[in-house]
Amino acid sequence: MDCRKIIHVDMDAFFASVEQLDNPRLRGLPLIVGGDPAGRGVVAACSYAARSFGVHSAMPCAQARRLCPQAVFVRPRLDRYREVSGQVMAIFRACTVLVEPLSLDEAYLDVSANSLGERSATRVAEYVRARIFRETGLTASAGVSCNKFLAKIASGLKKPDGLSVIPPEAAAAFVASLPVRKFFGVGNATECKMQAQGIHTGADLLRFSVDELMRLFGKHGRFFHDIARGIDQRPVLAHRERKSLGTETTLASDILALEAVKVVLLDLAGELGADLRVRKICGRTLTLKMRYQDFTTITRSCTDQAGFADTDDLIAQLPRLVAATEAGRRRIRLLGLSVSNLLPKNALPRRAQQLLLPFPGQEQSLFLP
């Protein structure tokens, strides 16, 4: 069993709580942070009062309004959320140098050694939660255990404004009773596959050898084998390397015409290209994301060792990627672009001049001005 002291801190309904902090008239109300419920917006976050009606993040705002007609909708203010997140992360880093942010509102802390000189991870978690409330007016929930998996599970046990501890000696019994859908890396498809094998809880996983689990679930099989025994060797990484950079948009209405696809993708390419220039990075793989009217989502990617460093690089490959989709034949509700396999821009040789490729059946590229 691991002997590290890990805390997972998760801010409670973060975006919604910041809005209620800044506007006290919103406190206690079913509040939804997201897009226009009369359009194609999605829920970015919601208060616990809204959650009681079945509203959750990533849900279409129109559906959220049907579930909770009395809900108050506000648009996201990402700059404000980043500002408050910076305050929270500073509190974490005042306790330990080993802080691994997962998003604006949650992070792992390894407090095996900490600047408070405190041997009890539970007391460090209590200190962190109290200081967050004192300095920001917001509440946070925390989980304490001997590894990242157990700490993250623990932080969700007593939300909101709760603290849960899973000591090493209780880990095996806790994991044995845990439904597999709570396991890291288990989505709907994996859960269905597990249930087909009679695996419903952590205890069920104990019946399978590591070889059997790897045969069933590939490289994740070893992880499932270890987690079922309360073992998670993943360290808290203070500097997480960015793996991709991208942007996407949910369209105000479904589009069919290739000319309309052109307009949206040119805009996304411009935004992504500008972001690459500012960060002085590039990526060797470009990915187009497309969601059709029936919510089927596909991706098409291409890799170029010369890298994608600016808007022109992106635009040059878009016709090839779009031609591999059903654009022009199926209505589209979402488009996105991202680059991965990132590296510093100056790490690549200068790209040769590229020709802009035309769409099949078109004499001129759709992406030429």
Side-chain angles (χ1 to χ4, degrees), residues 74-115:
V74 299
R75 292 298 180 92
R77 296 183 297 150
L78 290 178
D79 287 345
R80 174 60 174 150
Y81 308 149
R82 291 190 186 101
E83 177 187 359
V84 179
S85 175
Q87 293 178 267
V88 172
M89 297 298 165
I91 293 171
F92 296 160
R93 294 188 176 98
C95 299
T96 175
V97 296
L98 293 178
V99 176
E100 181 179 341
L102 301 179
S103 61
L104 291 178
D105 60 343
E106 63 174 319
Y108 288 113
L109 289 69
D110 187 332
V111 296
S112 305
N114 59 82
S115 59

Side-chain angles (χ1 to χ4, degrees), residues 104-131:
L104 291 178
D105 60 343
E106 63 174 319
Y108 288 113
L109 289 69
D110 187 332
V111 296
S112 305
N114 59 82
S115 59
L116 303 179
E118 177 58 70
R119 297 182 62 185
S120 167
T122 302
R123 283 197 284 270
V124 175
E126 290 171 338
Y127 169 85
V128 167
R129 293 177 63 246
R131 186 170 168 185

Side-chain angles (χ1 to χ4, degrees), residues 147-187:
N147 60 48
K148 292 167 81 170
F149 172 75
L150 292 170
K152 185 169 176 65
I153 294 293
S155 69
L157 295 178
K158 295 181 181 178
K159 271 189 161 291
D161 196 20
L163 172 63
S164 297
V165 180
I166 303 175
E169 62 271 18
F174 177 83
V175 176
S177 65
L178 198 66
V180 291
R181 66 178 177 275
K182 297 286 189 180
F183 280 43
F184 176 81
V186 176

